Amino acid sequence: MMTLKFLTAFLLIGFCSCGQGALKSKVHPAAVQLNYQAMTLVAYIQIPDSSRKAISLLDKATTVDSNYFLGHYNKLIFYNQLKQYDKAIFTVNKLLQLRPSAHDLYLTGGILYERVSDTVASSVYFKKSLEICNRVLDTMNTENRDYEMLLGNKATNLIMLEDQKSANLLLKKFYDNQTDEEQKKWLASLMNKNKKQLLELWASVQYSH
């Protein structure tokens, strides 16, 4: 589930998303090495200087290779830890230049704009994410491995756009068809939540780690 992956990566600091519609390209080896060095500091992320050092290394990586997606993306982990949301938003917009159809990045951007209380911008990003999800789902076979992830993101966007009724109908159907207990637990945590409750839930999960 991309939303679950997003929460794990961005809020729990445990998974690195690469966005949707990834274009494979050769990355400069020096940039890869700098990214590797930065990510060794995740273990010390509670120490502000470690996060700042990681960002410095990632800045060097993206200077070496300005199109290095993972180098840009991993900055989000450390900016979020330092609560430097404006810089995280700038980074999301750079990522969207590289992957303009990545619905998960629009969702990430929407949540970041919520963090800085810009609800006008967040709504634009949630609507764009939802639009992409709907467009892809309309042509996707239900057996596709990304189908459930897209449904999860669609429901999350609906909640963030304050359409809880539609979101809950989707989540209930999703829950009833789910066999994985961990996924069911996650889905249950989203059901019957409004936008404010979701943001509070994510914040509490983040800062308890």
Side-chain angles (χ1 to χ4, degrees), residues 136-154:
V136 176
L137 284 167
D138 283 345
T139 58
M140 181 177 283
N141 188 295
T142 57
E143 299 301 315
N144 189 294
R145 65 179 183 177
D146 290 335
Y147 188 79
E148 291 186 352
M149 170 268 292
L150 281 154
L151 281 180
N153 266 15
K154 177 178 178 176

Side-chain angles (χ1 to χ4, degrees), residues 1-4 20 103-104 106-107 125-139 146-171 173-174 186-187 190 198 202:
M1 309 280 294
M2 190 59 235
T3 304
L4 179 59
Q20 297 299 307
H103 63 86
D104 51 323
Y106 280 105
L107 176 56
Y125 277 62
F126 293 135
K127 287 177 181 177
K128 183 64 177 179
S129 179
L130 180 61
E131 174 193 326
I132 296 170
C133 287
N134 283 333
R135 186 168 67 242
V136 176
L137 284 167
D138 283 345
T139 58
D146 290 335
Y147 188 79
E148 291 186 352
M149 170 268 292
L150 281 154
L151 281 180
N153 266 15
K154 177 178 178 176
T156 303
N157 280 303
L158 287 168
I159 294 171
M160 300 311 290
L161 290 167
E162 302 187 275
D163 186 357
Q164 287 86 22
K165 182 178 180 180
S166 297
N168 282 329
L169 287 172
L170 187 61
L171 289 168
K173 181 179 179 181
F174 199 176
W186 170 69
L187 288 166
L190 295 180
L198 266 193
W202 293 338

Side-chain angles (χ1 to χ4, degrees), residues 23-36:
L23 298 175
K24 292 186 177 181
S25 59
K26 188 172 182 180
V27 180
H28 195 292
V32 174
Q33 180 60 30
L34 286 162
N35 177 70
Y36 174 80

